[in-house]
Amino acid sequence: MKNIGKMGIHYLQRLNAANVPKDLIEKGQNRVIEASLTLIRERAKLKGELLRALGGVVASSSLLGVPLGHNSSFLQGPAFAPPRIREAIWCGSTNSTTEEGEDLKDPRVLTDVGDVPVQELRDCGVDDDRLMSIISESVKLVMEEEPLRPLVLGGDHSISFPVVRAVSEKLGGPVDILHLDAHPDIYHEFEGNKYSHASSFARIMEGGYARRLLQKLGEGVKGVYISVDLDCLDPAFAPGVSHIEPGGLSFRDVLNILHNLKGDVVAADVVEFNPQRDTVDGMTAMVAAKLVRELTAKISK
Amino acid sequence: MKNIGKMGIHYLQRLNAANVPKDLIEKGQNRVIEASLTLIRERAKLKGELLRALGGVVASSSLLGVPLGHNSSFLQGPAFAPPRIREAIWCGSTNSTTEEGEDLKDPRVLTDVGDVPVQELRDCGVDDDRLMSIISESVKLVMEEEPLRPLVLGGDHSISFPVVRAVSEKLGGPVDILHLDAHPDIYHEFEGNKYSHASSFARIMEGGYARRLLQKLGEGVKGVYISVDLDCLDPAFAPGVSHIEPGGLSFRDVLNILHNLKGDVVAADVVEFNPQRDTVDGMTAMVAAKLVRELTAKISK
Amino acid sequence: MKNIGKMGIHYLQRLNAANVPKDLIEKGQNRVIEASLTLIRERAKLKGELLRALGGVVASSSLLGVPLGHNSSFLQGPAFAPPRIREAIWCGSTNSTTEEGEDLKDPRVLTDVGDVPVQELRDCGVDDDRLMSIISESVKLVMEEEPLRPLVLGGDHSISFPVVRAVSEKLGGPVDILHLDAHPDIYHEFEGNKYSHASSFARIMEGGYARRLLQKLGEGVKGVYISVDLDCLDPAFAPGVSHIEPGGLSFRDVLNILHNLKGDVVAADVVEFNPQRDTVDGMTAMVAAKLVRELTAKISK
Amino acid sequence: MKNIGKMGIHYLQRLNAANVPKDLIEKGQNRVIEASLTLIRERAKLKGELLRALGGVVASSSLLGVPLGHNSSFLQGPAFAPPRIREAIWCGSTNSTTEEGEDLKDPRVLTDVGDVPVQELRDCGVDDDRLMSIISESVKLVMEEEPLRPLVLGGDHSISFPVVRAVSEKLGGPVDILHLDAHPDIYHEFEGNKYSHASSFARIMEGGYARRLLQKLGEGVKGVYISVDLDCLDPAFAPGVSHIEPGGLSFRDVLNILHNLKGDVVAADVVEFNPQRDTVDGMTAMVAAKLVRELTAKISK
Amino acid sequence: MKNIGKMGIHYLQRLNAANVPKDLIEKGQNRVIEASLTLIRERAKLKGELLRALGGVVASSSLLGVPLGHNSSFLQGPAFAPPRIREAIWCGSTNSTTEEGEDLKDPRVLTDVGDVPVQELRDCGVDDDRLMSIISESVKLVMEEEPLRPLVLGGDHSISFPVVRAVSEKLGGPVDILHLDAHPDIYHEFEGNKYSHASSFARIMEGGYARRLLQKLGEGVKGVYISVDLDCLDPAFAPGVSHIEPGGLSFRDVLNILHNLKGDVVAADVVEFNPQRDTVDGMTAMVAAKLVRELTAKISK
Amino acid sequence: MKNIGKMGIHYLQRLNAANVPKDLIEKGQNRVIEASLTLIRERAKLKGELLRALGGVVASSSLLGVPLGHNSSFLQGPAFAPPRIREAIWCGSTNSTTEEGEDLKDPRVLTDVGDVPVQELRDCGVDDDRLMSIISESVKLVMEEEPLRPLVLGGDHSISFPVVRAVSEKLGGPVDILHLDAHPDIYHEFEGNKYSHASSFARIMEGGYARRLLQKLGEGVKGVYISVDLDCLDPAFAPGVSHIEPGGLSFRDVLNILHNLKGDVVAADVVEFNPQRDTVDGMTAMVAAKLVRELTAKISK
């Protein structure tokens, strides 16, 4: 998708060079952004109304895809992840219940508000700063609709920053973060890009959006945000990631960490799944889907 | 994506059973549909405004993705096709000029208005009849913005019906069709589904939207619609399709047909690319991308 | 193979509709069934005679393939497993001795009586109830020939029921079962099919063929039947299964369970290997072959 | 499967060394051979009876699998071909009618008598000369049952010799052969093996079983046997063969040869498909299946 | 290999920065270059001596690998090509005779002088200009030893320039070139690199090393150099290339061009094979190997 | 590469038969061997001179590739390993620092002296005994240049014998060995070949080159040689090996063993990586590269 992003910029440069009025471009971009947010708002609203009509739900996971790959330093594949993960969740070659028995087919347990149209926005020349704001805004639109809580499907790890920022601002204070990752992602910047996937947590801490970074399981926490970078798993368990680092966790290790975690999980993300490096029959997609199932079990009640 | 569609229906049945007011659901759906069309309208409008500001363009190809796989009788993969084809168009491992030298990086030659959000609409319980109308409506929104002409990325072959209907209604009369396909797709219905991918051309002829079906290259035609089902190629050239039929055309055969075609090409589609059956390095995606390049050369001027 | 099974049924319906005498069909089927069992009887008899002539063998593993995939709720691949496992046992890219040193090339350690011709029987219109009886009968034909003990290669997990039934009836009482599986397989029925792969152990317990179900390693047992569903392994170790469930056992975990097991192992099965989902170079086939090696080490003496 | 064959020989040597009476072994082998032929006879008889009861059929293709790979000079994969081809015939991702419209689902057009149990016979120590006789005998058992005509699924090309011999002996005179192959296969012997896949046609001519070898399409012939070695196709169309020879025919070339062939086709074979070298999604299996469809169209009437 | 090349440059910059005497570096590089050429000279000399001792050979193909990928504008894979092509020539899954019957196992037909150690030279900081000279020098060392004629295995297309230059200088005049390629490769420079794979033929013409560029088969020529870029083939026949261009030649088309070519072929190259994009079982390697066989048939006599 | 080795021998037999003077051949071979060793000497010398000029380095890892696969009892792939491992070290999809922070891009930490030209020597008819001596000699040439220490990239496990012999002879006494392997490799000979990959450690102990074989981690050792056969890892972590043995170590187990090891590591090897059995995106290459990184961290100081 990188090249599509580049195309957008190239396109605008060309228009500028041809003396197309800057004003005309900006107005059009604003209308496209507004329409994009309206679509997410309406989907979240519909899901919220229905859950409230059903009643008896305190918190309910709601999938929000953020197919953003253009900030990644290597392969662009994470932009293709959200539809693949959804496919694996519902594919029928595995059951749809969590290890503790909740059924994901129950709309009170899991709903979906679709994807932020990242690619289309980039193609219209929307720059990185605004894109980050649109992602934050989208997360807030989901949280607006009680009892929905965002379960975000990346995208690369750079998305964790705008998502955590939105969650923190909406809740009115910092959250605790359980961060599972082979890399700390706290470079101040990476190859000159302050929003790169390797700098996401530097931005989060800088903004005061999180109280502390848990990179190993600590004592009981509350108001927790869970961020799972699939490269925390050994590539034997999750080959479909951009940055392979042998020597990682087993999948059962990750499940044990999640099952032992205490506290009120307010939102979560699953990032850095790269379908272009997955096995032919999609083993990593299945791993991501099972993570979504178990994260849903932590969030929904 | 089939199961996601099924999920939407299951979801509504559950809501009906729980006595959620039908009215509430319908209003929410209508708002989501309205927001979806607004987003396409705004993107088309921005692209149209800019092209008109640049000036000197008579007709310009504009990509519109229709990731619809749920009507296919076999594998669901065509729903994943549009992002893969875009990736292949801009991937850099092939050049971006047509065989006659137009450069696709020139926005006067090719622009993109994004995808109809098929999956999200289905997930909100929107049924097949409305989905077909939304697709037609989206095509008309593109044609509204002179000099844009739709170059539609499927999806399975069932999308040709709503696309041709829209083109015909917008132009105020039937079009000629160049139809390249291993199968005639003129079953009256297929397994009880009148919108199935095997019935698309039955619907088109029934509605009077096309003057005649060209399944072999005829004499000069005008006001032509080109529909390319990738399974017209021998699987040696395009393995990534759902219904493999050995003994088909070579890629050069197809290019020769296109290069020899006379007449004003008003719109086109490329359908039935199934990324889930493609080779590991995406040979069929490259073939689809080159078809888009050469169709662009036929349309844009 | 599902479609071949369906073909058999379709075929008979057509013959019935054409007024082919029912009697004629039944007599032909009976002759085919009789010939199938005769072939297994003669192979077992030859192997038994030779082992008795060699002398000094108390118990000897004998492979019996049951390529049954048509009861599986998802992919049909397990029907292709037995020849692939045999290939991996003898392929030469691994040694043919067990971890404790027995050599599988010694006919006193391992022989083979071939496959139940499941596909051919289905193609002649033989129904599920009779097929289950034929499988049980085949297992008994192997046990008839002292010192042979059946080591059954599935097929999907539905075969465990007729195999355990035969072993239990032949021994005159229930057996203990070590059951390694990611799923309990004790649904009363699954999608209306009482012989489905998800109901096998419900049928076994119902019939009194087993004393208790060991799903974790217990204290010393005797008269043990070992049933290994390959999906008990994490997909990192055995990707070639139909129902992927991340978070499973490591291969070394399974070997430890087997090595620590006490008691007289009277028969065993290895089920749910699906070659159609294996890696290109057959890693899961190698895993299944090593399981056969280590099960042989438990049985033969 | 080579190693399984070797295992059988090794096994007998060991038994001889242990002074197991030779007589005991031979009697057991004879009973296994007899039971193997009985099973084929009964299946052919059932299919023949039913076709005759249905009436109105002059000639009907009947599949007979000969999974023989042990004579091949390179990879052993052709032994796995027959079940893969059957799977591809009925898999549903292609239609089941021939290019001229016969429906393979009609039992008057195509039936199946199963496989010669090659692997099991080898495992009992049956040697090559007897195996060749058993294959010939099996073909005759099919021809015994009017109106069945054998459509043999190899296996490597060495099987053409015993099949043509049987057809010729049964018809009482030589047949004409349409032989499509990248190699002439007329070495007197290959690496000391007179039944090798490279010598099959030397044996056929030597025995007077065929009148002439057509390696290019000649004038009208009658009583034709068609032998298709998949390596006659360019590897772009059929990569799944043991001996790749770039520069071969296109699939359409082969179909044209078949469609233009005149004369009464009495039997046919499709050989040298090697599933272990096929693409991940089985393109060569699809090609073999379509060849079976079109050969059926030539034979059945 | 690109990064290894970059490593070499980075390494030298670091040494310069550390005030390591420039002189010390240059002397070491010169000794490494000298040793590299000595190794090629000695191998060519040994092969030449032996051929002359055997006698009766007028011209004999001698393989020279040039694993140069660092000038390619996209994937670096061609640097891995020479060992893969050799493997495919001798792998045993195809025969080793040409279509006209010469046996490549005869040392009078084909010998091998090994590879120019491109990677090691780059790692010592040798720059592009010198590398091009070393390649030319290596080709001349082969031609020094009558009756050896160079059959060069690339590498990307940039190697054709130093090879043709050497052949021309050694023969004392320009050669005719049969150039099979999907792209003309006559950019004056590509992304600022005058030795890029897209500029090779610009350099050749500029230097007067060739009389004319045959991009289609012309009338009889003599003193011919044949340069085959594998991307002249449709990707269906040769998927393992860096720059896929659907719509190319079939493999039989290329063989026909070669078989029809008249004139004395003095040298040849096969370039742009990229093993990293080949199919799992190496179809393009087989195609490259057969091209080497048929080019050998044109050269050796 | 096996067949290339065979070609060399076949070639010499043919020359002998043709009465080419034996003397001529031997002199030529000697010149080729001398040139091969000169090339390694000059590369090592250059790297040593530069490191000494930089100063402050006590010990520095230097890669030496030994692409020897012809002694392997099964697949020949390890001969292709060294370039793939180098590619993975520098590929950019992982960082180039060790787990403890050393940067491999620093020439004081890691340099490269290239490959022993095994294939070219075999092609000139050099036999196994001399090849083993050339490998030993090459290792000594590296050790000659203080502070370089050899980090050898196999090749199959047979290379450990000549490497350890050289290290021991150069240091003037036996070394301790940490040997990580799924198999003990101490057969006296394997299929008649005393240098086979299964006999390497028998030869080492026989020659007195090592004090003891550590196959489990012992107490603190010094003067340690580390030999890592990739098949010590479970195939889930390293599928790209010739001899798959399920039930092995996890990658983290191996890292823990290395991190806990005390003593002065004087040299190391990484063997039995077989790229022909690796996953499509090279997971085992990444594992081998990370092993090189961590071994570098043990050696360099």
Side-chain angles (χ1 to χ4, degrees), chain C residues 1 3-4 11 18 31 36 39 42-43 47 49 54 84 86-87 90 107 112 119-120 123 276, chain D residues 1 3 11 18 31 36 39 42-43 47 49 54 84 86-87 90 107 112 119-120 123 276:
Chain C
M1 298 302 189
N3 296 295
I4 295 170
Y11 184 37
R31 292 192 318 262
S36 298
L39 183 52
E42 292 302 344
R43 288 195 298 239
K47 298 302 167 83
E49 282 173 1
L54 281 170
R84 290 284 167 190
R86 285 189 184 93
E87 181 77 3
W90 306 118
D112 194 336
Q119 174 187 315
E120 291 87 341
D123 174 64
Q276 294 177 338
Chain D
M1 297 302 189
N3 296 294
Y11 183 37
R31 293 191 318 262
S36 298
L39 182 52
E42 292 302 343
R43 288 195 298 241
K47 299 301 167 83
E49 283 173 1
L54 282 169
R84 291 283 166 191
R86 285 189 183 93
E87 180 78 3
W90 305 118
D112 194 337
Q119 174 187 315
E120 291 87 341
D123 174 63
Q276 294 177 337

Side-chain angles (χ1 to χ4, degrees), chain D residues 94-115:
Chain D
T94 184
N95 56 49
S96 63
T97 52
T98 69
E99 295 216 336
E100 284 166 15
E102 294 91 341
D103 186 358
L104 269 67
K105 286 188 192 145
D106 183 341
R108 288 170 299 197
V109 174
L110 184 68
T111 58
D112 194 337
V113 299
D115 288 356

Side-chain angles (χ1 to χ4, degrees), chain F:
Chain F
M1 298 303 188
K2 182 187 191 178
N3 296 293
I4 296 170
K6 277 188 186 167
M7 283 306 299
I9 290 164
H10 168 88
Y11 182 37
L12 292 185
Q13 287 168 341
R14 190 153 190 157
L15 296 172
N16 287 336
N19 292 322
V20 175
K22 214 170 167 175
D23 192 53
L24 184 71
I25 300 172
E26 275 179 24
K27 278 189 189 157
Q29 286 181 338
N30 288 342
R31 292 191 318 262
V32 170
I33 291 169
E34 192 44 48
S36 299
L37 289 171
T38 300
L39 182 52
I40 291 171
R41 180 185 302 112
E42 293 302 344
R43 289 196 298 241
K45 206 165 154 186
L46 173 59
K47 299 302 166 85
E49 283 173 0
L50 299 176
L51 278 182
R52 291 190 298 269
L54 281 169
V57 187
V58 173
S60 174
S61 299
S62 188
L63 297 177
L64 173 68
V66 185
L68 182 81
H70 72 285
N71 274 329
S72 175
S73 59
F74 192 59
L75 294 170
Q76 301 303 318
F80 293 110
R84 291 284 168 191
I85 300 176
R86 284 189 184 93
E87 180 77 4
I89 294 172
W90 305 120
C91 75
S93 80
T94 185
N95 56 48
S96 64
T97 51
T98 68
E99 295 215 336
E100 284 166 15
E102 292 91 341
D103 186 358
L104 269 69
K105 286 186 191 148
D106 183 342
R108 287 170 299 195
V109 174
L110 184 69
T111 57
D112 194 336
V113 298
D115 287 356
V116 179
V118 170
Q119 174 187 314
E120 290 87 341
L121 290 163
R122 294 280 300 157
D123 175 63
C124 293
V126 172
D127 64 23
D128 279 12
D129 273 327
R130 285 192 92 177
L131 207 47
M132 289 293 165
S133 302
I134 295 165
I135 294 170
S136 290
E137 193 56 31
S138 302
V139 170
K140 288 178 184 174
L141 290 171
V142 174
M143 294 178 78
E144 208 95 315
E145 297 294 332
E146 286 271 355
L148 300 186
R149 293 188 176 185
L151 204 173
V152 178
L153 306 177
D156 69 36
H157 220 154
S158 67
I159 67 157
S160 294
F161 165 59
V163 176
V164 171
R165 181 174 61 184
V167 171
S168 161
E169 288 178 359
K170 194 79 193 163
L171 294 179
V175 291
D176 282 355
I177 295 181
L178 172 69
H179 178 207
L180 297 171
D181 196 340
H183 314 89
D185 288 358
I186 49 174
Y187 290 90
H188 180 68
E189 62 172 45
F190 188 74
E191 298 181 353
N193 180 348
K194 70 174 186 163
Y195 294 126
S196 98
H197 71 141
S199 313
S200 195
F201 283 86
R203 290 293 83 72
I204 288 169
M205 296 314 284
E206 210 173 85
Y209 302 122
R211 200 153 45 99
R212 59 199 162 114
L213 273 172
L214 303 173
Q215 298 200 14
K216 278 181 192 163
L217 182 67
E219 68 278 30
V221 289
K222 53 178 184 166
V224 182
Y225 181 92
I226 304 176
S227 177
V228 186
D229 183 320
L230 283 176
D231 70 13
C232 71
L233 290 160
D234 192 279
F237 298 88
V241 297
S242 299
H243 300 264
I244 285 179
E245 197 66 35
L249 301 172
S250 76
F251 192 73
R252 182 53 59 193
D253 292 338
V254 170
L255 290 184
N256 286 341
I257 292 172
L258 293 181
H259 291 166
N260 289 329
L261 182 75
K262 307 282 182 248
D264 186 31
V265 182
V266 291
D269 65 50
V270 175
V271 297
E272 294 286 351
F273 166 42
N274 183 339
Q276 294 177 338
R277 293 177 66 93
D278 203 1
T279 59
V280 172
D281 58 356
M283 195 172 86
T284 314
M286 297 302 254
V287 161
K290 181 148 185 178
L291 273 173
V292 167
R293 293 215 306 270
E294 299 308 314
L295 288 169
T296 294
K298 300 302 293 184
I299 292 173
S300 300
K301 49 198 169 191

Side-chain angles (χ1 to χ4, degrees), chain E residues 12-20:
Chain E
L12 292 185
Q13 288 168 338
R14 189 151 192 159
L15 295 172
N16 288 336
N19 290 322
V20 175

Side-chain angles (χ1 to χ4, degrees), chain E residues 160-180:
Chain E
S160 295
F161 165 59
V163 176
V164 171
R165 178 174 63 183
V167 171
S168 161
E169 287 179 359
K170 193 80 195 164
L171 294 178
V175 291
D176 281 356
I177 295 182
L178 173 68
H179 178 208
L180 297 171

Side-chain angles (χ1 to χ4, degrees), chain A residues 11-78:
Chain A
Y11 183 36
L12 292 184
Q13 288 169 338
R14 188 151 190 157
L15 296 172
N16 287 335
N19 291 323
V20 175
K22 212 170 171 178
D23 192 53
L24 184 71
I25 300 171
E26 274 180 22
K27 278 190 189 155
Q29 286 181 337
N30 288 342
R31 291 191 319 262
V32 169
I33 291 169
E34 191 46 47
S36 298
L37 290 171
T38 300
L39 182 51
I40 290 171
R41 180 186 300 113
E42 291 303 343
R43 288 196 298 241
K45 204 165 155 186
L46 173 59
K47 299 302 167 83
E49 283 172 0
L50 298 176
L51 279 182
R52 292 190 295 272
L54 281 169
V57 188
V58 173
S60 175
S61 299
S62 190
L63 298 176
L64 173 69
V66 184
L68 182 82
H70 72 284
N71 274 330
S72 174
S73 59
F74 192 59
L75 293 171
Q76 301 303 318

